[in-house]
Amino acid sequence: MLPILLIILGGGLLLVGIVLLIRSKPEKNESLNQVIAAVKADGILTPKEEKLVREVAQAEGKDGDLIVALIKQELEASEEDSETELIDVNAKAGYDFEKFVVQKFDKRYFDIRNWAGDKFVEGRYADTTTQPDIQLSLTLRGDSYPFAVECKWRSEPTGDFVRFANDGQLERYKAFAKQENYPVFIVLGIGGKPSDPAELYVLPVHELNKPVLHKAGLGKYRKKVDSDFFFDQKSQKLN
């Protein structure tokens, strides 16, 4: 009788053990999933987090090295997507401001000779891609007067200075003007939106010594946002 009772008791314990094992697996899986989700939440896998992932994975009988490698791969892909989105946003802002500038040159008098980047608006586009952003010419009584425009838009600048170019760009614009023997202007938009800036300035490259200006020095270059551009061929000024 006793052996039979022991067999029954052993079978019962085995059944309870199987049930507990089955129930414990989802809990462990959920624990690993929670750890992975927490690690990916901030986009950074620290050494401590990596160690934790390996320990939890090992406790569940899974390949910790593989899981860590997959997490790193996913985080790297996410970072690349974010950088691409940022580049796309900046490119769109620049393109929108260029379109704003182009539309202020009356097509009856101005021709676009080159517009960098194969860009277009209202059917107007460049045949080739060169620098600066836009090369135009004023046509009066059969004569053509060329000049070039570099477009720069800035959101509300902080501090007392406005940087309108990167280091080296200003020298490149000056070299271009000398090589082509016609003036280059930086059209600077500030605030508002790229397609509708709050302020507008026209900076003659030959008058600039640094790629940054104090806000107080911008006043003499200011232009009404709602007025069109006109190029004075005699004074070589863009108004």
Short mmCIF file of all heavy atoms in Angstrom, two decimals, residues 48-95:
data_model
loop_
_atom_site.label_atom_id
_atom_site.label_comp_id
_atom_site.label_asym_id
_atom_site.label_seq_id
_atom_site.Cartn_x
_atom_site.Cartn_y
_atom_site.Cartn_z
N LYS A 48 26.07 48.58 -18.28
CA LYS A 48 25.26 47.94 -17.25
C LYS A 48 24.01 47.31 -17.85
O LYS A 48 23.61 46.21 -17.47
CB LYS A 48 24.86 48.97 -16.18
CG LYS A 48 26.02 49.40 -15.28
CD LYS A 48 25.53 50.33 -14.18
CE LYS A 48 26.67 50.73 -13.25
NZ LYS A 48 26.21 51.64 -12.17
N GLU A 49 23.39 48.02 -18.80
CA GLU A 49 22.20 47.48 -19.45
C GLU A 49 22.55 46.25 -20.28
O GLU A 49 21.79 45.27 -20.31
CB GLU A 49 21.56 48.55 -20.33
CG GLU A 49 20.92 49.69 -19.54
CD GLU A 49 20.44 50.81 -20.43
OE1 GLU A 49 20.98 50.97 -21.54
OE2 GLU A 49 19.52 51.55 -20.02
N GLU A 50 23.69 46.30 -20.94
CA GLU A 50 24.13 45.15 -21.73
C GLU A 50 24.35 43.93 -20.84
O GLU A 50 23.96 42.80 -21.19
CB GLU A 50 25.42 45.51 -22.48
CG GLU A 50 25.90 44.42 -23.41
CD GLU A 50 27.10 44.85 -24.24
OE1 GLU A 50 27.24 46.07 -24.48
OE2 GLU A 50 27.89 43.97 -24.65
N LYS A 51 24.95 44.15 -19.68
CA LYS A 51 25.18 43.06 -18.73
C LYS A 51 23.86 42.49 -18.24
O LYS A 51 23.69 41.26 -18.13
CB LYS A 51 26.00 43.57 -17.55
CG LYS A 51 26.32 42.50 -16.51
CD LYS A 51 27.14 43.07 -15.36
CE LYS A 51 27.42 42.01 -14.32
NZ LYS A 51 28.18 42.55 -13.17
N LEU A 52 22.89 43.37 -17.96
CA LEU A 52 21.58 42.92 -17.49
C LEU A 52 20.87 42.08 -18.55
O LEU A 52 20.28 41.04 -18.24
CB LEU A 52 20.72 44.13 -17.12
CG LEU A 52 19.28 43.83 -16.66
CD1 LEU A 52 19.29 42.95 -15.42
CD2 LEU A 52 18.52 45.12 -16.41
N VAL A 53 20.94 42.52 -19.79
CA VAL A 53 20.31 41.77 -20.88
C VAL A 53 20.91 40.38 -20.98
O VAL A 53 20.19 39.38 -21.13
CB VAL A 53 20.46 42.52 -22.21
CG1 VAL A 53 20.02 41.64 -23.38
CG2 VAL A 53 19.65 43.80 -22.21
N ARG A 54 22.22 40.29 -20.88
CA ARG A 54 22.89 38.99 -20.97
C ARG A 54 22.47 38.07 -19.82
O ARG A 54 22.23 36.88 -20.01
CB ARG A 54 24.41 39.18 -20.96
CG ARG A 54 24.95 39.89 -22.20
CD ARG A 54 26.47 40.00 -22.12
NE ARG A 54 27.01 40.86 -23.16
CZ ARG A 54 27.25 40.48 -24.41
NH1 ARG A 54 27.00 39.22 -24.75
NH2 ARG A 54 27.75 41.32 -25.30
N GLU A 55 22.38 38.65 -18.61
CA GLU A 55 22.03 37.84 -17.44
C GLU A 55 20.60 37.31 -17.54
O GLU A 55 20.34 36.13 -17.28
CB GLU A 55 22.19 38.68 -16.17
CG GLU A 55 23.65 38.98 -15.83
CD GLU A 55 23.77 39.89 -14.62
OE1 GLU A 55 22.73 40.42 -14.16
OE2 GLU A 55 24.90 40.08 -14.13
N VAL A 56 19.67 38.19 -17.93
CA VAL A 56 18.27 37.76 -18.05
C VAL A 56 18.12 36.74 -19.17
O VAL A 56 17.40 35.74 -19.04
CB VAL A 56 17.36 38.97 -18.29
CG1 VAL A 56 15.93 38.53 -18.54
CG2 VAL A 56 17.41 39.93 -17.11
N ALA A 57 18.82 36.98 -20.28
CA ALA A 57 18.75 36.05 -21.40
C ALA A 57 19.30 34.68 -21.01
O ALA A 57 18.73 33.64 -21.34
CB ALA A 57 19.51 36.61 -22.59
N GLN A 58 20.42 34.70 -20.29
CA GLN A 58 21.02 33.44 -19.85
C GLN A 58 20.09 32.69 -18.91
O GLN A 58 19.97 31.46 -18.98
CB GLN A 58 22.36 33.72 -19.16
CG GLN A 58 23.10 32.45 -18.75
CD GLN A 58 24.45 32.76 -18.09
OE1 GLN A 58 24.77 33.91 -17.86
NE2 GLN A 58 25.21 31.72 -17.80
N ALA A 59 19.42 33.43 -18.02
CA ALA A 59 18.49 32.79 -17.09
C ALA A 59 17.33 32.13 -17.81
O ALA A 59 16.75 31.16 -17.32
CB ALA A 59 17.97 33.84 -16.10
N GLU A 60 17.01 32.64 -18.99
CA GLU A 60 15.90 32.07 -19.76
C GLU A 60 16.39 31.10 -20.82
O GLU A 60 15.62 30.63 -21.65
CB GLU A 60 15.10 33.20 -20.42
CG GLU A 60 14.44 34.12 -19.41
CD GLU A 60 13.54 35.15 -20.06
OE1 GLU A 60 13.28 35.03 -21.27
OE2 GLU A 60 13.09 36.07 -19.36
N GLY A 61 17.70 30.82 -20.79
CA GLY A 61 18.25 29.87 -21.74
C GLY A 61 18.35 30.39 -23.15
O GLY A 61 18.28 29.62 -24.12
N LYS A 62 18.52 31.69 -23.29
CA LYS A 62 18.61 32.29 -24.62
C LYS A 62 20.01 32.85 -24.86
O LYS A 62 20.79 33.03 -23.93
CB LYS A 62 17.56 33.40 -24.78
CG LYS A 62 16.13 32.86 -24.70
CD LYS A 62 15.11 33.95 -24.91
CE LYS A 62 13.70 33.39 -24.87
NZ LYS A 62 12.67 34.43 -25.07
N ASP A 63 20.30 33.12 -26.12
CA ASP A 63 21.63 33.60 -26.53
C ASP A 63 21.74 35.09 -26.23
O ASP A 63 21.23 35.94 -26.98
CB ASP A 63 21.84 33.33 -28.02
CG ASP A 63 23.28 33.58 -28.45
OD1 ASP A 63 23.98 34.34 -27.75
OD2 ASP A 63 23.70 33.03 -29.48
N GLY A 64 22.43 35.43 -25.14
CA GLY A 64 22.57 36.83 -24.75
C GLY A 64 23.36 37.65 -25.76
O GLY A 64 23.04 38.80 -26.03
N ASP A 65 24.42 37.04 -26.33
CA ASP A 65 25.24 37.76 -27.32
C ASP A 65 24.41 38.15 -28.54
O ASP A 65 24.53 39.26 -29.06
CB ASP A 65 26.42 36.88 -27.75
CG ASP A 65 27.42 36.68 -26.63
OD1 ASP A 65 27.44 37.52 -25.71
OD2 ASP A 65 28.18 35.69 -26.67
N LEU A 66 23.58 37.23 -28.98
CA LEU A 66 22.75 37.50 -30.16
C LEU A 66 21.74 38.60 -29.87
O LEU A 66 21.54 39.50 -30.69
CB LEU A 66 22.01 36.22 -30.58
CG LEU A 66 21.03 36.37 -31.76
CD1 LEU A 66 21.76 36.86 -33.00
CD2 LEU A 66 20.32 35.04 -32.03
N ILE A 67 21.12 38.55 -28.69
CA ILE A 67 20.12 39.56 -28.34
C ILE A 67 20.76 40.94 -28.24
O ILE A 67 20.23 41.94 -28.73
CB ILE A 67 19.42 39.19 -27.01
CG1 ILE A 67 18.59 37.92 -27.21
CG2 ILE A 67 18.55 40.33 -26.53
CD1 ILE A 67 17.95 37.40 -25.94
N VAL A 68 21.94 41.02 -27.62
CA VAL A 68 22.65 42.30 -27.50
C VAL A 68 23.01 42.83 -28.89
O VAL A 68 22.87 44.03 -29.17
CB VAL A 68 23.92 42.13 -26.64
CG1 VAL A 68 24.81 43.37 -26.76
CG2 VAL A 68 23.54 41.90 -25.18
N ALA A 69 23.47 41.94 -29.76
CA ALA A 69 23.84 42.35 -31.12
C ALA A 69 22.63 42.90 -31.88
O ALA A 69 22.73 43.90 -32.59
CB ALA A 69 24.45 41.17 -31.88
N LEU A 70 21.48 42.25 -31.71
CA LEU A 70 20.26 42.71 -32.38
C LEU A 70 19.81 44.07 -31.85
O LEU A 70 19.35 44.93 -32.61
CB LEU A 70 19.15 41.67 -32.20
CG LEU A 70 19.34 40.34 -32.94
CD1 LEU A 70 18.24 39.35 -32.57
CD2 LEU A 70 19.35 40.57 -34.45
N ILE A 71 19.93 44.26 -30.53
CA ILE A 71 19.56 45.55 -29.94
C ILE A 71 20.45 46.66 -30.48
O ILE A 71 19.98 47.74 -30.87
CB ILE A 71 19.66 45.49 -28.40
CG1 ILE A 71 18.60 44.56 -27.83
CG2 ILE A 71 19.52 46.88 -27.80
CD1 ILE A 71 18.71 44.33 -26.34
N LYS A 72 21.76 46.41 -30.54
CA LYS A 72 22.70 47.41 -31.06
C LYS A 72 22.39 47.75 -32.52
O LYS A 72 22.43 48.91 -32.92
CB LYS A 72 24.14 46.90 -30.94
CG LYS A 72 24.67 46.86 -29.51
CD LYS A 72 26.11 46.38 -29.48
CE LYS A 72 26.67 46.40 -28.07
NZ LYS A 72 28.08 45.92 -28.02
N GLN A 73 22.09 46.72 -33.29
CA GLN A 73 21.77 46.93 -34.70
C GLN A 73 20.52 47.80 -34.86
O GLN A 73 20.48 48.71 -35.69
CB GLN A 73 21.57 45.58 -35.39
CG GLN A 73 21.31 45.69 -36.89
CD GLN A 73 21.17 44.31 -37.54
OE1 GLN A 73 21.28 43.29 -36.88
NE2 GLN A 73 20.91 44.30 -38.83
N GLU A 74 19.51 47.52 -34.05
CA GLU A 74 18.27 48.29 -34.13
C GLU A 74 18.48 49.74 -33.69
O GLU A 74 17.94 50.67 -34.30
CB GLU A 74 17.20 47.63 -33.26
CG GLU A 74 15.83 48.29 -33.38
CD GLU A 74 14.75 47.51 -32.66
OE1 GLU A 74 14.97 46.31 -32.38
OE2 GLU A 74 13.69 48.10 -32.38
N LEU A 75 19.29 49.94 -32.65
CA LEU A 75 19.56 51.30 -32.17
C LEU A 75 20.35 52.10 -33.21
O LEU A 75 20.10 53.29 -33.41
CB LEU A 75 20.33 51.25 -30.85
CG LEU A 75 19.55 50.73 -29.63
CD1 LEU A 75 20.45 50.69 -28.40
CD2 LEU A 75 18.33 51.59 -29.36
N GLU A 76 21.31 51.46 -33.87
CA GLU A 76 22.09 52.14 -34.90
C GLU A 76 21.21 52.53 -36.08
O GLU A 76 21.34 53.63 -36.63
CB GLU A 76 23.23 51.23 -35.38
CG GLU A 76 24.34 51.06 -34.35
CD GLU A 76 25.40 50.07 -34.80
OE1 GLU A 76 25.25 49.52 -35.93
OE2 GLU A 76 26.36 49.83 -34.06
N ALA A 77 20.31 51.64 -36.46
CA ALA A 77 19.40 51.95 -37.57
C ALA A 77 18.49 53.11 -37.22
O ALA A 77 18.21 53.98 -38.04
CB ALA A 77 18.58 50.71 -37.92
N SER A 78 18.03 53.14 -35.97
CA SER A 78 17.15 54.22 -35.52
C SER A 78 17.89 55.55 -35.53
O SER A 78 17.33 56.59 -35.90
CB SER A 78 16.65 53.92 -34.11
OG SER A 78 15.88 54.98 -33.61
N GLU A 79 19.18 55.55 -35.14
CA GLU A 79 19.98 56.78 -35.13
C GLU A 79 20.18 57.30 -36.54
O GLU A 79 20.10 58.50 -36.80
CB GLU A 79 21.33 56.50 -34.47
CG GLU A 79 22.21 57.74 -34.35
CD GLU A 79 23.52 57.45 -33.65
OE1 GLU A 79 23.70 56.30 -33.19
OE2 GLU A 79 24.35 58.36 -33.56
N GLU A 80 20.43 56.40 -37.49
CA GLU A 80 20.62 56.81 -38.89
C GLU A 80 19.34 57.43 -39.44
O GLU A 80 19.38 58.42 -40.17
CB GLU A 80 21.04 55.61 -39.73
CG GLU A 80 22.45 55.12 -39.43
CD GLU A 80 22.80 53.88 -40.21
OE1 GLU A 80 21.92 53.39 -40.96
OE2 GLU A 80 23.93 53.39 -40.08
N ASP A 81 18.19 56.85 -39.08
CA ASP A 81 16.91 57.39 -39.55
C ASP A 81 16.70 58.80 -39.01
O ASP A 81 16.22 59.68 -39.72
CB ASP A 81 15.75 56.48 -39.11
CG ASP A 81 15.76 55.16 -39.85
OD1 ASP A 81 16.40 55.09 -40.92
OD2 ASP A 81 15.13 54.20 -39.37
N SER A 82 17.07 59.02 -37.73
CA SER A 82 16.89 60.34 -37.13
C SER A 82 17.77 61.37 -37.82
O SER A 82 17.35 62.50 -38.07
CB SER A 82 17.24 60.28 -35.63
OG SER A 82 16.37 59.40 -34.96
N GLU A 83 19.03 60.98 -38.13
CA GLU A 83 19.93 61.90 -38.82
C GLU A 83 19.41 62.23 -40.21
O GLU A 83 19.48 63.37 -40.67
CB GLU A 83 21.33 61.29 -38.90
CG GLU A 83 22.03 61.18 -37.55
CD GLU A 83 23.37 60.50 -37.65
OE1 GLU A 83 23.68 60.00 -38.75
OE2 GLU A 83 24.09 60.45 -36.65
N THR A 84 18.87 61.22 -40.89
CA THR A 84 18.32 61.44 -42.23
C THR A 84 17.14 62.39 -42.18
O THR A 84 16.99 63.27 -43.02
CB THR A 84 17.89 60.10 -42.86
OG1 THR A 84 19.02 59.24 -42.94
CG2 THR A 84 17.33 60.32 -44.26
N GLU A 85 16.28 62.21 -41.16
CA GLU A 85 15.13 63.09 -41.01
C GLU A 85 15.57 64.52 -40.78
O GLU A 85 14.99 65.47 -41.31
CB GLU A 85 14.25 62.60 -39.86
CG GLU A 85 13.52 61.30 -40.16
CD GLU A 85 12.79 60.77 -38.94
OE1 GLU A 85 12.84 61.45 -37.90
OE2 GLU A 85 12.18 59.70 -39.04
N LEU A 86 16.64 64.70 -39.96
CA LEU A 86 17.14 66.05 -39.69
C LEU A 86 17.69 66.69 -40.96
O LEU A 86 17.43 67.86 -41.24
CB LEU A 86 18.24 65.98 -38.61
CG LEU A 86 18.89 67.31 -38.23
CD1 LEU A 86 17.85 68.27 -37.68
CD2 LEU A 86 20.00 67.09 -37.21
N ILE A 87 18.44 65.91 -41.74
CA ILE A 87 18.98 66.42 -43.00
C ILE A 87 17.85 66.82 -43.94
O ILE A 87 17.89 67.85 -44.59
CB ILE A 87 19.89 65.36 -43.65
CG1 ILE A 87 21.16 65.17 -42.80
CG2 ILE A 87 20.28 65.78 -45.06
CD1 ILE A 87 22.02 64.02 -43.25
N ASP A 88 16.81 65.97 -44.01
CA ASP A 88 15.68 66.26 -44.89
C ASP A 88 14.98 67.55 -44.48
O ASP A 88 14.59 68.35 -45.32
CB ASP A 88 14.68 65.09 -44.85
CG ASP A 88 15.22 63.86 -45.56
OD1 ASP A 88 16.20 64.01 -46.32
OD2 ASP A 88 14.69 62.76 -45.34
N VAL A 89 14.82 67.76 -43.17
CA VAL A 89 14.17 68.97 -42.68
C VAL A 89 14.99 70.21 -43.05
O VAL A 89 14.45 71.21 -43.52
CB VAL A 89 13.97 68.90 -41.15
CG1 VAL A 89 13.55 70.26 -40.60
CG2 VAL A 89 12.93 67.85 -40.80
N ASN A 90 16.30 70.14 -42.85
CA ASN A 90 17.17 71.28 -43.18
C ASN A 90 17.18 71.55 -44.67
O ASN A 90 17.17 72.71 -45.11
CB ASN A 90 18.59 71.00 -42.69
CG ASN A 90 18.69 71.03 -41.17
OD1 ASN A 90 17.86 71.63 -40.50
ND2 ASN A 90 19.69 70.37 -40.63
N ALA A 91 17.21 70.48 -45.47
CA ALA A 91 17.21 70.65 -46.92
C ALA A 91 15.91 71.29 -47.39
O ALA A 91 15.92 72.17 -48.26
CB ALA A 91 17.41 69.30 -47.61
N LYS A 92 14.80 70.88 -46.81
CA LYS A 92 13.51 71.45 -47.19
C LYS A 92 13.44 72.93 -46.83
O LYS A 92 12.93 73.75 -47.61
CB LYS A 92 12.37 70.70 -46.50
CG LYS A 92 10.98 71.19 -46.92
CD LYS A 92 9.88 70.42 -46.23
CE LYS A 92 8.51 70.84 -46.74
NZ LYS A 92 8.26 72.29 -46.60
N ALA A 93 13.96 73.29 -45.65
CA ALA A 93 13.96 74.70 -45.24
C ALA A 93 14.77 75.54 -46.22
O ALA A 93 14.34 76.62 -46.63
CB ALA A 93 14.51 74.83 -43.82
N GLY A 94 15.95 75.04 -46.61
CA GLY A 94 16.78 75.77 -47.55
C GLY A 94 16.11 75.92 -48.90
O GLY A 94 16.15 77.00 -49.52
N TYR A 95 15.49 74.85 -49.37
CA TYR A 95 14.82 74.88 -50.67
C TYR A 95 13.62 75.82 -50.65
O TYR A 95 13.39 76.60 -51.59
CB TYR A 95 14.38 73.46 -51.03
CG TYR A 95 13.74 73.32 -52.39
CD1 TYR A 95 14.04 74.20 -53.43
CD2 TYR A 95 12.84 72.29 -52.65
CE1 TYR A 95 13.45 74.07 -54.68
CE2 TYR A 95 12.25 72.15 -53.89
CZ TYR A 95 12.55 73.04 -54.90
OH TYR A 95 11.96 72.90 -56.13
#
